[in-house]
Amino acid sequence: GSWIFEANEYQVSYSVTGEAPANYTPEIPAAVNASEGSSVEVAGALETNETTNAAGLVGRWTFSGWTSEQVSPVDGSFRMPGENVQFTGSWIFEANEYQVSYSVTGEAPANYTPEIPAAANAAEGSRLDVAQGLSTDETRNASGQLGTWSFSGWRTDDVDHSGGSFTMPGHDVGFVGTWEFTVKRFDVNYAVTGEEVPGTYSEVPGTSRVKNGTAVDVEAALTTTETTNAAGLVGTWTFSGWASEQVSP
C-alpha cells in the first residue's frame, strides 16, 4: 500500500482600497492557493510615475505596502496559516503646495476693508479665486486733501487670473495691489460787486480750478486810471481788495 498526502490549501489574495493613480506597476497579483505551512513571499509593492490625482492636483503617490490581518510577514514572507489570507494596500497622494500671498504698495487710506488676506498654501493644480478688491470710505489722504481713493485690483505676473480665478502653478504666487488718490478740485473765481465802478479798470481774473489743499496766491487788486464817477465828480477810485467767505488769505 502507499500513502498519499494532500496538503490543505487556502487562498492568498491582494486588493487595493481607496484612491489610486490611473496607472501603476506591477499589476495587482491574482488570487492563488498555497499549502498550509508553506513559506509564501509577499508580492512586491506597487509603483507609479503618475503625478496627478483624479482632481487634477499635482503631487506624489506613495504606496502603503501590503498588510494583512491574518499574518505578520517577516522579511517579506510568511508561513501559510490554516485560513485564507487577504492582503490590502492603499495609496497616499500628497499634493505639492505653494504659497499665495497678497500685499499693498504705495500710499493707502488709513482704513479699508476687507483686511489684506494672509499668505496661505494651496495645492498645485487646484483652482483658486482671487481675493476680493479693497474698498474704503476715507475721503482724505495723508496730506489732509479731500478726494477719492480707488483700488487698482490685485495684479500678478505669476499666473493668468483672467475671470477672477486661476490654476495654482508649481511655484509661489504673489499678488500686489495699489491705491490711487484723486484730489478733489474746486473753482477759485473773482467778482466785483456794487453798483458803482470806474468806467475802466484792470481785468478781473478768470476762474481757475485748483486741487484742494494747494497753496493759492490771491490775485492782485484791481487798478484804474479813471478820475471821475458816473455823476461826473472828480476824485480817486480805491479798490477794496479781494475778500472771501470761504477762506482767510
Side-chain angles (χ1 to χ4, degrees):
S2 61
W3 290 93
I4 298 175
F5 181 78
E6 186 175 353
N8 298 333
E9 288 195 343
Y10 296 93
Q11 190 180 75
V12 180
S13 61
Y14 294 82
S15 62
V16 171
T17 61
E19 186 183 19
N23 297 287
Y24 48 81
T25 57
E27 293 183 358
I28 298 174
V32 295
N33 291 334
S35 298
E36 182 180 355
S38 63
S39 179
V40 181
E41 290 189 1
V42 180
L46 304 181
E47 297 179 344
T48 185
N49 293 321
E50 296 288 332
T51 57
T52 58
N53 66 359
L57 303 183
V58 180
R60 182 178 64 182
W61 287 100
T62 303
F63 186 64
S64 67
W66 298 113
T67 59
S68 173
E69 295 182 356
Q70 292 80 41
V71 295
S72 299
V74 177
D75 295 331
S77 64
F78 63 95
R79 188 70 60 183
M80 188 66 189
E83 61 179 323
N84 293 332
V85 175
Q86 295 90 35
F87 284 96
T88 59
S90 60
W91 289 92
I92 297 173
F93 182 78
E94 186 176 359
N96 299 333
E97 290 196 342
Y98 298 93
Q99 191 179 78
V100 180
S101 61
Y102 294 83
S103 62
V104 171
T105 61
E107 188 181 16
N111 297 287
Y112 49 81
T113 57
E115 293 185 358
I116 298 174
N121 290 336
E124 182 180 357
S126 61
R127 194 70 181 167
L128 302 175
D129 291 330
V130 179
Q132 70 181 92
L134 306 180
S135 60
T136 186
D137 293 327
E138 297 287 334
T139 57
R140 294 185 182 273
N141 63 5
S143 301
Q145 293 173 299
L146 283 171
T148 304
W149 286 100
S150 300
F151 186 63
S152 66
W154 296 114
R155 300 171 180 170
T156 183
D157 292 329
D158 298 327
V159 291
D160 176 8
H161 56 98
S162 55
S165 62
F166 63 97
T167 299
M168 188 66 190
H171 53 78
D172 293 340
V173 175
F175 285 95
V176 176
T178 57
W179 287 92
E180 181 180 355
F181 186 75
T182 303
V183 178
K184 194 170 184 179
R185 295 173 180 266
F186 295 92
D187 290 340
V188 177
N189 55 60
Y190 295 82
V192 174
T193 60
E195 296 181 1
E196 190 174 23
V197 296
T200 61
Y201 48 84
S202 55
E203 185 178 357
V204 176
T207 299
S208 58
R209 197 159 182 79
V210 182
K211 294 180 179 179
N212 74 92
T214 303
V216 181
D217 290 330
V218 179
E219 295 290 344
L222 301 182
T223 60
T224 183
T225 58
E226 296 288 333
T227 58
T228 58
N229 66 0
L233 301 181
V234 179
T236 303
W237 287 99
T238 303
F239 186 64
S240 66
W242 298 114
S244 173
E245 295 182 356
Q246 292 78 39
V247 295
S248 299

